[in-house]
Amino acid sequence: MRPSRRDVLTGSAAAVISAAATPSRAQSPAAEAVTPALIEAARKEGKVTWYAAMDLPVSERVARAFEAKYPGIAVRIERTGSERQFVRLAQEYGSNIRVADVINASDAAHFIVWKRSGWLAPYLPDEVAKFYPAEHRDPDGQYFTSRIYVSSLGYNTNLVKPEDAPKSFADLLDPKWMGKIVKAHPGYSGTIMTATYQIARELGWEYFEKLARQKVMQVQSSVDPPKKLAAGERAVMADGNDFTLIQLKEQGQPVETVYPAEGSPLIVCPNAVLKAAPNPNAARLFQSYLLSREGAQVLCDFAAQQSAHPQVTAKPGRRKLADIKVMKDDPAAVEAEAEQIKKRYVSIFKV
Amino acid sequence: MTIAVPAELADRRTFKFDMTWPVMFGFMAVLCVLIVLPISWLVYYSLTAVDPVTQARSFTLDQFRTLFSDPEFVDPLITTVIIAVSSSIACCVIAAPMGWLVARTDMPMTRTIRALVTASFVTPPFLGAVAWEILAAPNSGLLNKLFRLVTGAPQDEHLLNIYSLPGLIFVIACYTFPYVFVLIANALDRIPSDLEDASAMLGGTAWDTARRITVPLALPALLAGALIAFLQAMILFGSPAILALPAGFHTMTTKIWSLFQYPPKPELAAAASLPLLVLTVILLRGQAMILGRKGYTVVGGKGAEPRLIKLGWWLVPAALFVTIVLMLPVFLPYFALFNAAFSPIATTLVTPFNATMHNIYFTFFELSSTKVALKNTFLLGAMSATIGTLLALVISYLTARQAVRGHRVLAFLATAPIAIPGIVLGVGLFLSYTRPPLVLYGTLWILLIAYITIELPAAYQQLQSAFKSVHPELEEASRMLGASRLRALRDVTAPLLRTSVLATWCFIFVSTIRELSAAVMLFTSETKVVSVLIFDLKESGDLGAISVLGISMLVLTFIVVVGVSRIPGFGAGTRLRNT
């Protein structure tokens, strides 16, 4: 009698539990290739639900590419900002609702919590085993970096001359930017949560206290400040996705990215398969695809994001991550300080 | 022989009377479950806290201490009161003259005007807020661009700033004024002109007649309107959620919502909602006191057509007034949404050179939540409207006719949910229905319960005032002829009220589709509704997709509302007073 998929899953779940019992030793699962059997099982499930705290046009594009490669498996995307998604998942799991198959967040700290709660399934796609550097792999094989970008500054080229544009975080504190700055909120966006931690660590909270006096316009997602720039609603942005600015500029919108002199906060977004995924095979197939050279290339080409996969090549003319001065990311510290960061932020910015 | 007949008759009567009671108690029980359960959980949560060590819940007043001392909560409370008072006054000032113009003067195109007011009512407040963002954001807003173009003002000057307290009050008033308008116009419709004629015949001037007859008769409706506008503004979540964050302040509802950011603080949120509940109870008592015992029964067995006042040359300013009023919640916002639907950037004017179908393609072919959300929304809308109308009809009958001993309790229960912000009711329901015996979270049922509970007060008030204006003499006549209460209700009163019943159905349907605050707490990815989808899209500023969804939603809603009012024998065109 061949073991069913469910048996295999229960077995791997048991493996995690034993791994958790001896936390000192990381136990990576064996690498798994995409087999015809997996594709067939995924097709029987017919769908996969991806909780993705990711710009919708980007995630939907990746989803359509997956559907084109594996016809018969529909991808449903649930998009909210990472911080809301984190609450949602906890709320759903607290009520025994298991809808999510695969999950992506721009606040890497969340994966530490989910892993600790035992919600993630160990699953190591063979391309990840072969190509991904260690710093982009969870040692227990539960989550892997799916995309990398930075939170940058930017300006509207119709409203600001290049020579007047801010070059650094410090420049934003110039009184000439009073009422002209837009920024996103760490209570909603995982990118901004991560960035706020890094900026506060490097520049101190005094920076935010001074910035708050500039009458900053607050929006929620890190996708929105670039859009507010493109619309001309504000002249400069204090944080937000650099890749959204790059996309908008390539569409002919009057925006320009600025990588601040102090360094740009580095955003590393993992992706994971959930242990209680209702479509476990489709979830694994999707995880394999997203992290493969092919899937990562879609993300890189369309969304100007970087991959941890060394074979993914950036479009000519786009700036490489290696050429940008970045701040260091530290998910463990974000996890420890998240509540404090949000509280402090609200007391400074009043919203 | 002669004795047997009355005995038989008496038996039959007793039997019918008995049938009425189980129905009444059934409704009371349903109401208790709908309303008392979530409120109890809220009160319990507001007064308890979990001990971090023992995990046990114990009594505490900490939440209330924080609420009334921490400026983080006091400021939003003050802001909310300012918003509610200002927008309620604005609504009445606009809606009262407009309702009078439409109902009592020879103003042309009144049907069109009413339909357009309905359009502003159908527009969800959050969608209106997004549209006004496109119109009146200080720098990118279309109206501000026009202002700079016309006056040659420099780039950083602006005429309007929607990201401000007055901006928010304006947007809220835009989408609550229909409540007041409908109430006033309907009341004026129902006032027969024989009283006014009497006044005129006795030598009263037009002014005397207005002051002593029309205004007092319309006053209950105006007061009810002001109250509803106040309460709607107070508990509104959608518009503040869109505008308050960029404007840099909180209202009570957005503050409560922010308490559910990680780590969620349901205890504090429950406590924060209780002042709103108390305030509402006080207001409702106040309304009852002002109206006192004055009876305003104007539709009896007989009545007369209202006679319309001739406007003459006053028509010009009147028409101008109505046009401007309708520009603000309807024409301008929908122009902005249409523009955004076909434009690459929402605040860029569409020209033949930059027009794009991308937003439409994206919404219907790439966005994987669109279909599920549309299906859920319309299913829930129809179900909530049908069940809610039935419930409100029976309750308002029982209270208007004081048919059962506990009718005051019933009236309170039916009005109480208006005081609970949808978002907090959402939490109450979440606490109630995530544990046995009824685990409903994750299903459409929990949303259905939320919608019915939220819409019940308005539906109840509408039908109750309709019942009050139908004199019981007709029912009494039918009961004297041997009909039971239920039969009298079905055969006599309900037909008289069918316009109101239909209006209530449409009202609940539309309100359900507009509802965001409870849905945002209770949805899961499988039970997503359009309002939540739009809210999620707003988070990342996808204005093009929001516009496409918003316009589709409006079109579908109109199809349903028009379709329902065409149901034979139930038509909205039948005039109540002619029957």
Side-chain angles (χ1 to χ4, degrees), chain B residues 452-467:
Chain B
I452 292 173
T453 314
I454 290 170
E455 302 315 334
L456 190 61
Y460 164 75
Q461 289 215 333
Q462 275 188 11
L463 288 175
Q464 223 249 358
S465 69
F467 265 112

Side-chain angles (χ1 to χ4, degrees), chain B residues 6-17:
Chain B
E8 232 180 66
L9 200 65
D11 280 343
R12 247 174 58 207
R13 269 196 204 165
T14 326
F15 174 69
K16 277 181 188 168
F17 195 66

Side-chain angles (χ1 to χ4, degrees), chain B residues 132 161-173 239 243 249:
Chain B
W132 270 100
N161 180 6
I162 207 70
Y163 302 126
S164 63
L165 189 59
L168 179 57
I169 292 169
F170 166 77
V171 170
I172 290 178
S239 308
L243 295 176
F249 59 81

